[in-house]
């Protein structure tokens, strides 16, 4: 092998000098102006901050040849035009106090100067007090009178002409145009009070009028009018410190791509790991495997509680209390998803509100599965009859081997009596419907209806006011037991179990320091984890429900969660994963023959269980077929 030649010369000392302003701006442009989409983003944010109501964007050659953004905002006086292209010149902040509570989208004062350092920039503007507009050409520095309406237009010509090496990293015109339009989409979604129009290669590719926020979100997410039921709108309401609102995609519409996920903090689109983790936590119990849901979430928080001055691109933020923000988002959105599981009645493609309350019942773990609901005659179990029998509902299937959860859950559990474990054969259903029709009312079916039969020992067939409901009995029972096991465990205090042999885990110095800082918090969660030297941690105790888990993986996940400020939720996720496994084994299996009473008991429990429309693995537990759909299939009325 040829050896590396030794250097024979001595290093030449270079004097410390001030960099030229042009080079400083070009260095800043490397951080801020990554591609034409970055220019579009910066110019649109300036237009929004100027109070614009109408904004237009034109692109040529994907923005590499020409970008033009024009607005009808307040404009720039002629005396300030030259300052607008100067580094660190801004109208957005004046002091450190204003910087710490910044509410505008742009505030650094670098964007226009950076753009002008790598491309020819034409700035035209007119204020309400001027008889005409004024223009500034960055190439010549001349300010001249110009025609134009009130507002500002910024034209960027031949991007990266001054730094051709950067241009080599750009993609095709179509790709760059796509990124630029997506940049506008991100800004437009957060500002429904502004209309946007985009032209690319002389063709209008986007035109959004002023709308309310729900309409803008649907348009921005690309949801057609006939797909509006695939989104769940929510709003935590105005609050002094935090407000969370937006739309969540229903889990059953999830796909493999994550290109329709938007998160905004105080109207600013961000890509933040903490917020992404909070969204994953919210969807944890309802998404199937690696599918990605559609969502658009807005977090309004007091400006002094968040630092947006973290990165030049302003895509990242830092919260003063990240753990509180994480918990607020994850728990609020998880509850939204659970509450939405049965808030619509089963009505085919036209769902109606069922008005159900989301209630977790108390329960017993000692009943055998045969007691899910006793088999009663129809005349004893028609809804509304006096003296209707009520059934004990089981939440534990007797296994050949003892279930390790029994000891914990049984202590906190109480027996649960079904409100209505009805068994309605077909004749009783028909009679019930005829009576309601004679009275001029629609049959008073519960949302999931009444059981008719069991199909191949797997599916329950039920009839409701809209048509046919098909229930996967194992998946439904699994979700019910999972939620009840969580409730039972949550009602008891966390019990720490000492390890016979402490577990030693290698860790980074930063992880060790963080664990030492958060030791009291971990102890309150039943986790005795402490430093053992500069690069190791030792685990001495864990919550008893996690004693059989992969403890090294638990430590790793908890350490990662501490960096995001959410150790308690990660421990909860590990606990829930174990409970979900037990719930799966303790649920009704395929080919288990159920009586009509047992089937109806299961349907009523589904209506009372949050998230019962999906099992623990994210699969749907039931589907509905409306009468109109059945009529179309069988060509009735034709």
């Amino acid at each position: 092998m040829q050896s590396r030649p030794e250097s024979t010369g001595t290093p030449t000392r270079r004097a410390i000098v001030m960099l030229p302003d042009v080079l400083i701006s070009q260095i800043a442009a490397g951080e801020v102006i990554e591609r034409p989409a970055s220019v579009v983003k910066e110019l649109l944010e300036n237009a929004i901050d100027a109070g614009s109501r109408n904004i237009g964007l034109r692109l040529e050659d994907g923005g590499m040849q020409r970008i033009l953004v024009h607005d009808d905002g307040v404009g720039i006086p002629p005396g300030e035009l030259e300052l607008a292209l100067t580094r660190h010149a801004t109208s957005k902040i004046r002091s450190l106090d204003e910087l710490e509570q910044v509410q505008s989208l742009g505030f650094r004062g670098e964007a226009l100067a950076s753009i002008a350092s790598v491309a020819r920039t034409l700035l035209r503007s007119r204020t309400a007090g001027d008889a005409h507009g004024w223009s500034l050409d960055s190439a010549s520095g001349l300010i001249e009178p110009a025609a134009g309406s009130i507002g500002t237009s910024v034209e960027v010509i031949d991007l990266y002409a001054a730094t051709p090496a950067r241009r080599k990293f750009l993609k095709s015109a179509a790709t760059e145009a796509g990124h630029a339009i997506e940049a506008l989409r991100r800004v437009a979604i957060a500002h429904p009070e502004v209309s946007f129009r985009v032209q690319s290669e002389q063709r209008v590719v986007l035109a959004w009028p002023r709308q309310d926020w729900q309409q803008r979100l649907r348009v921005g997410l690309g949801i057609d009018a006939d797909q509006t039921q695939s989104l769940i709108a929510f709003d935590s309401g105005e609050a002094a410190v935090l407000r969370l609102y937006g739309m969540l995609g229903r889990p059953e519409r999830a796909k493999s791509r994550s290109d329709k996920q938007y998160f905004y903090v105080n109207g600013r689109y961000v890509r933040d790991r903490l917020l992404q983790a909070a969204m994953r936590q919210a969807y944890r119990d309802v998404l199937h495997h690696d599918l990605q849901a559609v969502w658009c979430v807005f977090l309004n928080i007091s400006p002094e509680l968040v630092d947006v001055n973290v990165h030049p691109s302003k895509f990242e933020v830092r919260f003063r209390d990240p753990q509180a923000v994480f918990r607020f988002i994850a728990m609020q959105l998880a509850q939204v998803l659970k509450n939405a599981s049965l808030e619509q009645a089963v009505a085919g493609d036209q769902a109606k509100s069922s008005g159900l309350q989301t209630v977790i019942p108390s329960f017993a773990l000692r009943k055998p599965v045969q007691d899910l609901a006793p088999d009663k005659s129809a005349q004893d179990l028609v809804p509304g009859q006096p003296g209707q029998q009520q059934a004990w509902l089981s939440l534990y299937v007797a296994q050949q081997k003892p279930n390790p959860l029994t000891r914990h859950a049984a202590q906190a559990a109480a027996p649960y009596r079904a409100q209505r474990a009805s068994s309605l054969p077909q004749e009783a259903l028909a009679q019930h419907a005829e009576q309601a029709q004679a009275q001029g009312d629609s049959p008073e079916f519960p949302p999931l209806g009444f059981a008719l039969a069991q199909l191949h020992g797997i599916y329950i067939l039920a009839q409701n006011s809209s048509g046919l409901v098909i229930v996967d009995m194992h998946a439904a029972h699994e979700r019910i037991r999972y939620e009840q096991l969580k409730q039972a465990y949550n009602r008891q205090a966390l019990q720490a179990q000492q390890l016979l042999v402490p577990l030693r885990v290698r860790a980074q110095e930063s992880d060790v320091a963080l664990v030492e800082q958060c030791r009291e918090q971990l102890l309150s969660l039943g986790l005795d984890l402490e430093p053992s030297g500069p690069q190791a941690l030792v685990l001495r105790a864990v919550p008893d429900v996690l004693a059989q888990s992969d403890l090294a993986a638990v430590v790793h996940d908890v350490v990662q969660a501490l960096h995001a400020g959410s150790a308690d939720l990660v421990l909860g996720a590990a606990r829930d994963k174990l409970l979900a496994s037990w719930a799966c084994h303790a649920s009704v299996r395929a080919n288990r023959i159920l009586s009509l009473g047992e089937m109806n008991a299961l349907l009523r429990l589904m209506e009372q269980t949050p998230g019962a429309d999906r099992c623990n693995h994210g699969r749907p537990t039931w589907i509905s077929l409306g009468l109109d759909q059945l009529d179309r299939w069988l060509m009735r009325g034709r």
Side-chain angles (χ1 to χ4, degrees):
M1 178 181 293
Q2 185 177 2
S3 61
R4 182 180 177 180
E6 297 182 0
S7 175
T8 56
T10 57
T12 303
R13 183 187 179 280
R14 303 182 69 179
I16 299 174
V17 298
M18 290 291 296
L19 292 177
D21 288 340
V22 173
L23 182 56
I24 293 174
S25 296
Q26 290 173 343
I27 293 173
E31 298 176 340
V32 179
I33 312 302
E34 179 183 359
R35 61 195 329 156
S38 305
V39 176
V40 170
K41 171 185 176 291
E42 297 290 347
L43 298 183
L44 290 175
E45 290 180 347
N46 284 342
I48 294 293
D49 288 339
S52 305
R53 301 286 289 175
N54 300 280
I55 298 177
L57 168 64
R58 295 180 186 176
L59 300 171
E60 292 182 10
D61 194 25
M64 294 181 285
Q65 182 62 39
R66 182 170 179 257
I67 300 173
L68 174 63
V69 173
H70 57 88
D71 64 62
D72 60 353
V74 297
I76 305 173
E80 299 177 12
L81 279 178
E82 187 175 2
L83 278 176
L85 297 184
T86 305
R87 295 184 64 246
H88 303 309
T90 179
S91 62
K92 316 278 177 74
I93 58 173
R94 290 287 188 273
S95 64
L96 179 60
D97 290 339
E98 291 187 357
L99 177 62
E100 292 178 346
Q101 301 186 40
V102 64
Q103 300 187 44
S104 58
L105 296 177
F107 56 89
R108 289 175 173 268
E110 295 177 347
L112 286 177
S114 298
I115 294 170
S117 70
V118 295
R120 183 186 177 191
T121 304
L122 302 177
L123 184 62
R124 302 182 184 90
S125 189
R126 177 186 170 189
T127 64
D130 291 332
H132 56 79
W134 297 84
S135 68
L136 170 63
D137 188 337
S138 65
S140 64
L142 296 178
I143 300 178
E144 300 176 334
S149 58
I150 295 175
T152 302
S153 70
V154 182
E155 185 174 2
V156 180
I157 302 172
D158 200 9
L159 186 62
Y160 291 128
T163 54
R166 293 294 304 274
R167 190 158 188 166
K168 295 179 182 178
F169 291 92
L170 300 180
K171 305 299 183 182
S172 67
T175 299
E176 296 300 337
H179 286 295
I181 294 171
E182 177 62 19
L184 180 136
R185 183 187 302 272
R186 292 170 179 171
V187 174
I189 287 176
H191 298 279
E193 75 283 358
V194 181
S195 70
F196 292 87
R197 180 184 175 88
V198 180
Q199 286 182 269
S200 180
E201 311 302 340
Q202 307 301 317
R203 182 172 62 92
V204 176
V205 296
L206 184 149
W208 291 351
R210 289 189 286 270
Q211 301 163 302
D212 64 50
W213 71 268
Q214 294 194 24
Q215 291 175 325
R216 179 58 62 84
L217 259 64
R218 293 189 185 98
V219 172
L221 292 173
I223 303 299
D224 298 332
D226 59 347
Q227 297 178 323
T228 55
Q229 296 298 330
S230 66
L231 295 177
I232 306 166
F234 66 95
D235 192 340
S236 66
E238 296 287 350
V241 177
L242 290 172
R243 179 192 177 194
L244 196 67
Y245 68 99
M247 289 186 174
L248 301 178
R250 294 188 181 275
E252 61 268 22
R253 300 295 185 93
K255 299 181 180 180
S256 58
R257 298 179 59 182
S258 60
D259 56 334
K260 293 186 177 180
Q261 296 177 347
Y262 299 87
F263 205 110
Y264 296 84
V265 176
N266 292 347
R268 184 192 308 276
Y269 172 80
V270 297
R271 294 193 300 258
D272 187 85
R273 287 183 296 176
L274 173 73
L275 302 178
Q276 293 285 338
M279 296 304 300
R280 288 195 299 270
Q281 178 75 14
Y283 273 97
R284 176 175 53 86
D285 273 349
V286 295
L287 271 188
H288 186 52
H289 298 308
D290 295 327
L291 294 180
Q292 299 288 335
V294 172
W295 42 262
C296 184
V297 178
F298 294 87
L299 174 66
N300 290 354
I301 184 172
S302 297
E304 62 270 15
L305 299 181
V306 58
D307 182 7
V308 299
N309 192 25
V310 177
H311 192 273
S313 65
K314 301 188 290 292
F315 279 132
E316 299 177 11
V317 294
R318 182 183 294 118
F319 297 100
R320 179 174 297 181
D321 190 346
Q323 179 178 358
V325 173
F326 183 99
R327 289 180 57 86
F328 176 75
I329 296 171
M331 298 178 71
Q332 287 274 339
L333 298 189
Q335 193 62 41
V336 168
L337 291 168
K338 286 185 177 181
N339 289 345
S341 62
L342 278 175
E343 71 179 6
Q344 295 180 339
V346 187
D349 295 333
Q350 297 178 348
K352 303 175 183 178
S353 173
S354 68
L356 284 178
Q357 292 184 348
T358 305
V359 179
I360 302 287
S362 57
F363 59 93
L365 293 175
R366 296 291 187 181
K367 292 290 179 180
V369 71
Q370 289 81 359
D371 294 336
L372 184 65
D375 198 3
K376 299 292 182 179
S377 63
Q379 60 183 10
D380 290 336
L381 292 172
V382 174
Q385 286 191 353
Q388 178 180 358
Q389 300 289 336
Q390 290 185 327
W392 292 101
L393 298 181
S394 164
L395 290 180
Y396 178 75
V397 177
Q399 303 289 320
Q400 294 181 355
K401 295 181 179 180
N403 190 317
L405 183 64
T406 305
R407 175 172 55 86
H408 306 296
Q411 296 174 355
Y416 170 67
R417 302 171 71 91
Q419 294 181 353
R420 288 194 296 181
S422 312
S423 175
L424 287 179
Q426 194 167 359
E427 295 81 1
L429 283 170
Q431 181 181 3
H432 182 63
E434 290 175 0
Q435 293 175 354
Q437 186 175 7
Q439 298 173 359
D441 299 325
S442 60
E444 294 181 359
F445 288 97
L448 293 181
F450 296 114
L452 298 174
Q454 193 174 9
L455 181 65
H456 289 291
I458 299 175
Y459 301 107
I460 294 173
L461 306 182
Q463 174 181 333
N464 71 351
S465 59
S466 303
L468 177 67
V469 178
I470 304 175
V471 177
D472 182 334
M473 67 181 194
H474 171 73
H477 201 206
E478 183 181 3
R479 167 60 74 172
I480 292 169
R481 290 184 182 276
Y482 174 51
E483 294 295 336
Q484 292 164 336
L485 291 177
K486 286 198 298 184
Q487 288 294 314
Y489 187 80
N490 289 337
R491 281 194 293 266
Q492 64 177 352
L494 286 171
Q495 301 291 329
Q497 178 171 322
Q498 298 292 323
L499 302 181
L500 293 178
V501 179
L503 176 66
R504 183 181 173 88
V505 180
R506 292 186 60 82
Q508 300 291 332
E509 290 87 344
S510 59
D511 299 336
V512 173
L514 190 58
V515 167
E516 185 175 14
Q517 179 183 352
C518 301
R519 178 161 166 72
E520 293 300 323
Q521 176 191 355
L522 296 177
L523 287 174
S524 68
L525 298 172
L527 195 75
D528 187 357
L529 182 65
E530 63 180 357
S532 177
Q535 292 185 324
L537 298 169
V538 61
L539 180 65
R540 303 186 184 280
V542 294
D544 49 3
V545 75
L546 299 181
Q548 304 302 319
S549 302
D550 183 346
L551 298 182
V554 170
V555 172
H556 176 269
D557 291 343
V558 167
V559 170
Q560 294 301 314
L562 286 175
H563 286 286
S566 56
D568 51 347
L569 287 182
V570 169
L571 282 176
R575 174 208 64 191
D576 291 348
K577 184 177 181 180
L578 187 60
L579 296 184
S581 175
W582 287 339
C584 181
H585 292 298
S587 299
V588 175
R589 293 295 183 180
N591 299 319
R592 164 72 166 87
I593 304 303
L594 302 181
S595 67
L596 286 175
E598 290 173 323
M599 290 185 244
N600 280 306
L602 185 62
L603 296 178
R604 302 292 79 79
L605 270 179
M606 289 176 65
E607 292 166 348
Q608 294 176 320
T609 302
D613 58 339
R614 307 193 76 77
C615 76
N616 311 338
H617 313 295
R619 295 189 296 109
T621 59
W622 59 271
I623 62 171
S624 64
L625 298 175
L627 287 177
D628 56 344
Q629 189 173 5
L630 294 173
D631 291 343
R632 288 195 302 270
W633 285 353
L634 299 177
M635 302 179 68
R636 284 185 57 86
R638 298 186 184 181

